[in-house]
Amino acid sequence: MIQAQTTVTQTAWRTAWGHPDLQGVWTTDAEILVPFERPAVFRERAVLSDKELANREAEASKRARDDQADRPPGPALGTPAHWFEIGNGVSPRTSFVVDPPNGRMPPLTAEAAKRVIDRRLETGLMGEEGKLPLNGPEDTGLASRCITRGVPETWIPSIYNNGFRIAQTSDYVAIFYERYHEFRIIPLDGRPHVGQAIRHWIGDSRGRWEGNTLVVDVTNFSDKARFRGAGATLHVVERLTRIDADTMNVTVTVEDQTRWTRPWRFEVNGKKDARYKLFEMACHEGNYTMSHMLSAARAQEKTAAEGATTTIR
């Protein structure tokens, strides 16, 4: 009976032309509170205990309520009520990184350890604009400028807009990401990557099917958009597998011999939620943060100049 049910289910997850069906809207909201790297206290333990999970669920409830008295110190951006819904569940995972087994990125190469990371070129949320000179938009991060979250950074759930939609034809798979309204059109016809001289914000993707898994090889990244310090020499392999009717596993292998001493891997899990809708983010159109940060920087300069003048007098 179990075998028959499995066969029926797998058939239901096929497109009319016979490919695995990954289509629909998925969200990684349930994994918002999972740290990217595993805290050392957990060592090689991949999931929380029941007590630890209960504590995480309590933290999720507190954040969703967004009571002022409960807010932790730091930027208010980390606690808006709109970014978490308890109905999505809370993941017990201890980290997104799954290989190495300790759940932490491998050591940097000797040369990489000497390099200073320019946070303005990193694809994650920068969070350091106030610590740097702000002479123009280019002095802020890629996220603040609404340019890109980058690949593979875009898979990692953040404070909001963690949805993605997949559409398929027999020759292409398209992935639309809610954050920054980015999309990828991935050919499946075996064509080679574009020439090395051509570089993209989110790399150049080529897909193929291996059983029930979509394998996407991504190269041709740019030094203008770096993932954890890796740019043009970054190589990413993504594996998208539908686990059940409502779960999509995305496994990402990261390799850059100029950055890390070995390849490493992280995983996220998308869930289907009938309530989840993708709306236009309109990040550029409503990006008041940019003008506010720049005007605040000018105000700080004016205050500093007035103070210097007063001192001279």
Side-chain angles (χ1 to χ4, degrees):
M1 177 67 69
I2 294 176
Q3 184 177 3
Q5 289 177 343
T6 301
T7 301
V8 170
T9 302
Q10 289 179 342
T11 301
W13 302 341
R14 294 281 170 176
T15 63
W17 52 91
H19 286 168
D21 191 350
L22 308 180
Q23 298 179 102
V25 174
W26 310 82
T27 172
T28 55
D29 272 356
E31 297 186 333
I32 284 177
L33 295 182
V34 177
F36 186 71
E37 290 188 280
R38 186 175 304 150
V41 66
F42 294 121
R43 298 186 179 180
E44 296 189 3
R45 181 151 60 92
V47 297
L48 300 174
S49 67
D50 290 344
K51 181 179 180 179
E52 291 163 340
L53 179 59
N55 290 338
R56 180 178 285 180
E57 289 172 338
E59 174 66 14
S61 297
K62 183 186 297 185
R63 292 197 182 194
R65 287 196 305 271
D66 195 32
D67 292 336
Q68 185 173 2
D70 291 335
R71 292 176 187 165
L77 186 62
T79 59
H82 70 270
W83 68 259
F84 196 88
E85 294 187 33
I86 300 304
N88 292 327
V90 178
S91 171
R93 299 177 62 195
T94 56
S95 65
F96 288 119
V97 176
V98 295
D99 181 46
N102 66 358
R104 303 187 69 82
M105 291 183 290
L108 299 176
T109 64
E111 288 300 315
K114 299 176 184 177
R115 293 196 291 267
V116 177
I117 291 180
D118 188 341
R119 297 297 302 174
R120 296 171 299 179
L121 304 179
E122 287 293 299
T123 52
L125 292 175
M126 185 177 174
E128 298 181 357
E129 278 91 342
K131 302 177 183 179
L132 300 172
L134 292 179
N135 297 316
E138 294 78 9
D139 289 329
T140 66
L142 298 175
S144 294
R145 295 165 63 191
C146 300
I147 291 178
T148 183
R149 279 201 77 201
V151 170
E153 182 75 37
T154 193
W155 290 115
I156 303 168
S158 186
I159 54 175
Y160 54 77
N161 288 9
N162 296 309
F164 60 97
R165 182 193 299 274
I166 295 180
Q168 298 173 229
T169 70
S170 58
D171 300 316
Y172 295 91
V173 173
I175 307 177
F176 174 84
Y177 298 98
E178 184 176 16
R179 181 75 68 85
Y180 303 143
H181 42 258
E182 291 188 289
F183 64 91
R184 301 161 66 189
I185 298 179
I186 304 167
L188 305 173
D189 57 6
R191 72 183 66 177
H193 285 287
V194 296
Q196 285 296 303
I198 301 174
R199 298 287 162 171
H200 297 295
W201 290 107
I202 57 176
D204 183 56
S205 298
R206 297 291 182 266
R208 67 182 186 275
W209 293 104
E210 290 185 1
N212 293 321
T213 298
L214 173 65
V215 180
V216 184
D217 188 82
V218 194
T219 62
N220 294 72
F221 289 97
S222 169
D223 281 331
K224 295 180 179 179
R226 295 174 173 269
F227 173 71
R228 316 277 162 162
T233 49
L234 177 64
H235 178 214
V236 169
V237 178
E238 304 160 319
R239 303 179 67 89
L240 284 68
T241 308
R242 190 165 183 172
I243 303 301
D244 57 40
D246 298 318
T247 309
M248 166 93 66
N249 176 261
V250 181
T251 299
V252 180
T253 301
V254 179
E255 181 179 12
D256 186 339
Q257 296 180 2
T258 71
R259 183 69 183 165
W260 295 284
T261 55
R262 55 160 287 191
W264 53 280
R265 190 170 76 250
F266 72 87
E267 295 183 7
V268 300
N269 294 287
K271 288 285 188 178
K272 281 199 170 182
D273 185 337
R275 302 169 303 163
Y276 202 96
K277 307 295 181 184
L278 298 185
F279 295 99
E280 180 188 10
M281 185 179 183
C283 185
H284 282 290
E285 293 81 351
N287 192 9
Y288 301 110
T289 298
M290 179 61 65
S291 58
H292 290 167
M293 288 192 299
L294 294 175
S295 63
R298 303 293 78 76
Q300 289 175 337
E301 292 170 354
K302 181 179 180 181
T303 300
E306 291 173 347
T309 301
T310 301
T311 301
I312 293 173
R313 289 176 181 174

